[in-house]
Amino acid sequence: MRGMKPELDDASRRDRIIAALLRRGTWCASFLIAAGMLWSMAWPSVAVRAGLDGYGLMRGGVALFILLPVARVAVMLAVFVRERDRAYTLISALVLAVIATGLAIGLLL
Amino acid sequence: MPALWLFIAAFGASALGGTLGMASGIFIVPLLTLFFGIDIHAAIGASLISVIACSCGSAAPFLEGRLTNVRLAILLETATTLGAVAGVLMIGRISTAFLFGLFAVILAVSARQMLSRRQEVVDWSAANVKSWATALRLHSSFRDRASGGSVAYQVHRVPLGLGLMFGAGLISALLGIGSGVLKIPAMDTALRLPIKVSSATSNFMIGVTAAASAGAYFVRGDIDIRIAGPVALGSVVGALLGARVLIGLPAAKLRVFFVIILTLLAVEMLLNAFGIRILGCAA
């Protein structure tokens, strides 16, 4: 089948990579939050070390959820670069730049 | 155990919303502010995380079914994320009363939308060869399960779509919602997409849009993890399990039920905007 419909095959491969990333990421983040909640309920004041306690796990899960869509854009950027698709390389880079600007505003203002 | 209650409330909202293909985001902020007495800014932060979680958690089947137009999504995301960053800049300068009032308006619009069914307005006319959509190779096709065939579609009026998406991103950052309520009509009437493609693509974009503002609120320390964690988990579990469990409920009656709930919440949020509280604790 090689060379049959290269564009469609590339696109469906790309979509499957993104789907796998989002599915696994959602599982990981949900697991971290669930573990953090259970830990906080069971042993409210127990920490393995600074930052590693129920609250820390939950915070990690929340941070992972925020990172997940950003990672998805980064993966798309990488795919478009590989496909030498200049227009969409530029567009995905622009989305990442806007998100980075938002983070800078959050930190500085 | 407040964390458990937050989880259960978010689970319920998400499970019920999912039966009508609605995002639960629009219920989270009223739920947290009116019933839990949580500050509206903390509620918006928590709601954004749950919006991201639901978008990421439900994206995979749409992508694998080739319903999501990924190119169109990333293009429109330039506008939604810009809108979100504008919202981040504005939110500190906007009064709490205005946020409650704006939320009431969005709830009322959602209730209105729920009453009128979505109409398929696919424009089959050949797209202009010089249009943005043609230049950016946005026209695509999806596999229709009913007929088993491939349905090709054209994308129209991209500049108008981008403008509407900026507004959707702004509202998303200000109110902590996915803005599906604004995105879907924009995609139906401006871009003229088939409904399935429009829903899948809108849902896909919501995560990035919400992440743009949630990231800024997170690094600023404005996201209360003890609220956001349980709410996000409840929403994602509710969206995944709820739709399966509740699949037998009659859609027509649910629709009426939701219109009533949305209207009541709109009234309650509006009263809050004027400083009148009826429900919940005054904590």
Side-chain angles (χ1 to χ4, degrees):
Chain A
M1 294 296 280
R2 185 169 290 179
M4 276 286 286
K5 282 181 191 164
E7 195 175 328
L8 185 72
D9 288 347
D10 274 357
S12 80
R13 196 172 146 264
R14 173 197 64 202
D15 289 6
R16 270 185 280 124
I17 294 171
I18 300 170
L21 170 77
L22 294 177
R23 184 178 273 143
R24 285 179 199 155
T26 304
W27 274 109
C28 287
S30 304
F31 177 80
L32 280 176
I33 293 175
M37 273 176 72
L38 291 174
W39 187 333
S40 301
M41 285 181 215
W43 310 287
S45 53
V46 178
V48 175
R49 55 190 161 84
L52 188 55
D53 53 4
Y55 181 82
L57 285 180
M58 258 201 291
R59 193 177 144 85
V62 169
L64 184 56
F65 265 133
I66 298 174
L67 278 174
L68 204 47
V70 185
R72 183 269 275 177
V73 178
V75 167
M76 284 170 71
L77 173 67
V79 171
F80 288 131
V81 167
R82 247 193 59 184
E83 291 174 0
R84 293 170 201 279
D85 189 333
R86 275 163 105 192
Y88 281 91
T89 300
L90 207 70
I91 290 167
S92 2
L94 184 61
V95 173
L96 285 179
V98 172
I99 295 170
T101 308
L103 287 180
I105 288 169
L107 278 174
L108 302 173
L109 294 184
Chain B
M1 237 170 260
L4 203 56
W5 285 115
L6 288 171
F7 172 85
I8 292 168
F11 175 89
S14 188
L16 272 174
T19 53
L20 286 183
M22 260 182 104
S24 61
I26 199 146
F27 296 113
I28 300 287
V29 171
L31 205 61
L32 294 181
T33 52
L34 302 176
F35 294 95
F36 286 88
I38 289 169
D39 167 68
I40 191 164
H41 290 98
I44 289 165
S47 180
L48 280 170
I49 306 298
S50 91
V51 162
I52 297 172
C54 289
S55 164
C56 292
S58 59
F62 294 127
L63 283 162
E64 286 156 353
R66 314 262 317 123
L67 285 171
T68 316
N69 187 329
V70 171
R71 279 208 194 113
L72 178 63
I74 189 90
L75 176 65
L76 295 175
E77 278 159 10
T78 57
T80 61
T81 50
L82 261 177
V85 171
V88 169
L89 283 170
M90 281 169 67
I91 199 163
R93 298 176 178 84
I94 290 177
S95 71
T96 305
F98 182 84
L99 289 178
F100 272 107
L102 185 60
F103 212 109
V105 172
I106 295 292
L107 283 163
V109 173
S110 307
R112 174 75 190 74
Q113 245 177 49
M114 184 126 277
L115 275 176
S116 60
R117 297 216 162 193
R118 281 168 73 187
Q119 301 266 318
E120 190 101 46
V121 274
V122 180
D123 190 342
W124 296 111
S125 63
N128 187 342
V129 192
K130 283 184 194 158
S131 77
W132 287 39
T134 308
L136 289 167
R137 292 160 285 140
L138 293 174
H139 311 306
S140 183
S141 63
F142 70 95
R143 186 169 289 280
D144 187 33
R145 263 198 210 155
S147 66
S150 186
V151 182
Y153 60 90
Q154 308 260 337
V155 179
H156 299 263
R157 292 188 283 182
V158 171
L160 176 63
L162 282 169
L164 291 168
M165 289 300 155
F166 178 86
L170 180 68
I171 297 290
S172 163
L174 289 179
L175 300 181
I177 59 177
S179 279
V181 65
L182 297 178
K183 279 182 178 134
I184 291 177
M187 297 188 112
D188 287 0
T189 52
L191 303 166
R192 300 274 164 92
L193 299 175
I195 284 181
K196 280 182 182 170
V197 175
S198 157
S199 300
T201 307
S202 163
N203 174 68
F204 186 67
M205 290 162 49
I206 280 171
V208 177
T209 310
S213 54
Y217 298 148
F218 185 85
V219 296
R220 197 189 267 176
D222 282 352
I223 290 189
D224 189 331
I225 304 294
R226 287 183 207 287
I227 300 168
V231 168
L233 187 64
S235 301
V236 83
V237 177
L240 293 179
L241 290 184
R244 284 180 206 165
V245 176
L246 300 169
I247 209 146
L249 292 181
K253 279 182 189 164
L254 262 180
R255 198 169 282 273
V256 176
F257 173 72
F258 270 110
V259 170
I260 295 169
I261 295 284
L262 287 167
T263 312
L264 285 176
L265 288 177
V267 171
E268 183 64 28
M269 292 297 267
L270 194 64
L271 288 175
N272 252 273
F274 294 106
I276 306 162
R277 299 194 70 108
I278 295 174
L279 282 168
C281 38

